[in-house]
Amino acid sequence: MNDFSSQVKKEILRYDSYGDIEPLCLEVFRYQAGQNPVYKRYLKLLGVKPSGVGKLEDIPFLPIRFFKTHDVLCAPFKPEKVFMSSGTTGQQRSQHLVADLAFYETVSLKIFESFFPLTKKPVMLGLLPTYSDNPQSSLLHMIGFFQEQYNCPGQQYLPKDFPKLLDTISKLVQEKRSIFLWGVTYALLDFAHFLPTEMPELSIIETGGMKGTRSELTKMEVHQALKSGLGVKEIISEYGMGELLSQAYALHDGEFVTPWWMKVMTRSVNDPFETSQAVSRGAINIIDLANIDSCSFVETEDIGELIPDQKFKIYGRMEHTEIRGCNLMWI
């Protein structure tokens, strides 16, 4: 394993404080500018010399669509796993070549447990019908890994299995377990409509996604419907994608929080190279240092807003971009 890659991974797993990550980001940028052939070529076409980049705002972000057309991976790594986006019928799916699957699993668990301190043995349940046909989904892999770690029932649930899901949850409530139900939005709404009684013991984690099954709702409308139908006080949101190894969570009011090694920036909707930490609303760029073996600087196609205390909101997708498999709602 590359020494610099190993060093960055150790830093990520060792610390939890939110300090100034700019120096490390610049080191990672220069490393990937030399070791990632796709990113290196992209920088050359832009006329950017890595030695001339001295601050975060000067780092070019790789458009996320490159994950659909190129193998975004640093040399000399070989992929242990390939995560594929869900997409929709007829779309070209993006792929993330993961060189260190164990690192992804460890990072995901570290993030989860930092947001959800566990006082009781948790159970992870999945209501992810659109992912059942995509075994290369990073979300499905993450939840499956959590199930293994916490010795949970190792299965996903489809909408037609609502009675079985309800029976499982009822038994777990009797056992006084911490229950986390992960689900795509439309399936959670269907379950809330089906549910004959409130389930305040549930922690609901919605991963977004209507998949064209019904009219689009605002995030607020969805959360209100779920809270009313399921009898819970809060709906948790997860923000992640196959092109990133880290996740952000929103515990309240749709305000996402990242781990310290992940940073969200905004850029002009009209000019992808116009970035500034002073501009709070625009298209989203994400720094994910956990992507040390691929590319840590990703230009997404989401629209969002930076808010104080290193939080952010997502408002939807940019116009003229393909619909992704999750987080398709407007807030």
Side-chain angles (χ1 to χ4, degrees):
M1 182 176 290
N2 179 280
D3 289 342
F4 182 75
S5 171
S6 299
Q7 176 187 339
V8 171
K9 291 173 185 177
K10 289 178 181 178
E11 291 286 306
I12 288 173
L13 297 178
R14 182 183 299 129
Y15 298 114
D16 294 305
S17 60
Y18 286 80
D20 180 13
I21 69 169
E22 183 170 22
L24 182 56
C25 289
L26 290 171
E27 286 187 59
V28 171
F29 162 71
R30 295 188 184 100
Y31 165 75
Q32 293 182 338
Q35 297 298 118
N36 185 316
V38 174
Y39 193 40
K40 183 177 183 178
R41 176 63 174 165
Y42 180 65
L43 295 176
K44 184 176 181 180
L45 291 173
L46 293 179
V48 173
K49 294 183 178 180
S51 59
V53 174
K55 57 182 186 295
L56 285 181
E57 289 85 350
D58 294 337
I59 296 177
F61 285 72
L62 187 71
I64 199 167
R65 62 181 177 272
F66 277 55
F67 284 85
K68 294 182 177 182
T69 56
H70 296 76
D71 292 342
V72 183
L73 188 66
C74 290
F77 293 108
K78 303 295 181 182
E80 292 183 358
K81 177 80 174 181
V82 178
F83 288 141
M84 302 286 291
S85 65
S86 54
T88 58
T89 303
Q91 287 185 359
Q92 184 179 5
R93 296 162 64 191
S94 66
Q95 60 177 21
H96 189 178
L97 278 57
V98 180
D100 189 344
L101 187 60
F103 176 67
Y104 165 72
E105 295 170 342
T106 303
V107 163
S108 298
L109 188 65
K110 178 181 175 72
I111 297 171
F112 178 79
E113 292 187 343
S114 71
F115 280 93
F116 308 101
L118 303 174
T119 57
K120 295 185 292 184
K121 187 177 180 180
V123 174
M124 303 288 159
L125 302 177
L127 191 50
L128 304 163
T130 51
Y131 290 84
S132 60
D133 296 328
N134 181 23
Q136 292 175 295
S137 158
S138 60
L139 177 63
L140 209 62
H141 184 94
M142 180 179 74
I143 296 174
F145 174 71
F146 288 175
Q147 289 177 329
E148 292 177 0
Q149 290 297 298
Y150 300 126
N151 192 26
C152 306
Q155 54 186 308
Q156 309 300 325
Y157 294 91
L158 304 179
K160 64 181 180 181
D161 294 322
F162 284 165
K164 182 177 180 180
L165 176 57
L166 178 59
D167 181 63
T168 299
I169 292 173
S170 299
K171 291 178 180 177
L172 292 170
V173 170
Q174 294 297 318
E175 296 174 8
K176 301 187 183 301
R177 302 284 293 273
S178 295
I179 309 167
F180 292 87
L181 177 61
W182 301 70
V184 290
T185 304
Y186 76 87
L188 288 173
L189 288 170
D190 289 343
F191 183 53
H193 180 73
F194 165 86
L195 198 65
T197 183
E198 294 183 348
M199 287 284 183
E201 299 87 355
L202 279 178
S203 293
I204 306 295
I205 303 180
E206 60 95 2
T207 64
M210 294 299 243
K211 295 292 263 187
T213 59
R214 62 182 77 193
S215 60
E216 294 296 326
L217 301 173
T218 67
K219 182 79 82 172
M220 185 178 298
E221 289 171 336
V222 168
H223 282 203
Q224 187 56 50
L226 291 176
K227 286 191 284 188
S228 298
L230 299 172
V232 296
K233 293 182 179 180
E234 293 287 348
I235 300 296
I236 302 161
S237 293
E238 183 258 0
Y239 180 80
M241 58 185 71
E243 298 88 349
L244 302 175
L245 294 191
S246 300
Q247 305 80 39
Y249 290 93
L251 306 185
H252 307 287
D253 303 321
E255 297 182 350
F256 288 96
V257 180
T258 67
W260 71 261
W261 61 85
M262 189 178 181
K263 185 176 180 63
V264 175
M265 302 173 68
T266 54
R267 67 181 189 274
S268 168
V269 174
N270 299 315
D271 182 357
F273 302 108
E274 182 184 337
T275 61
S276 172
Q277 295 188 67
V279 177
S280 63
R281 186 165 180 166
I284 293 294
N285 287 347
I286 294 181
I287 298 174
D288 183 5
L289 298 182
N291 275 25
I292 182 61
D293 297 330
S294 55
C295 184
S296 293
F297 310 95
V298 179
E299 178 189 290
T300 79
E301 295 168 347
D302 293 329
I303 299 293
E305 179 180 10
L306 305 181
I307 54 180
D309 299 324
Q310 302 192 42
K311 299 177 182 178
F312 68 99
K313 288 188 174 185
I314 294 293
Y315 292 121
R317 305 279 295 149
M318 295 177 66
E319 293 183 6
H320 312 301
T321 61
E322 289 185 342
I323 295 175
R324 296 172 66 87
C326 56
N327 281 306
L328 309 186
M329 297 176 300
W330 291 91
I331 294 180

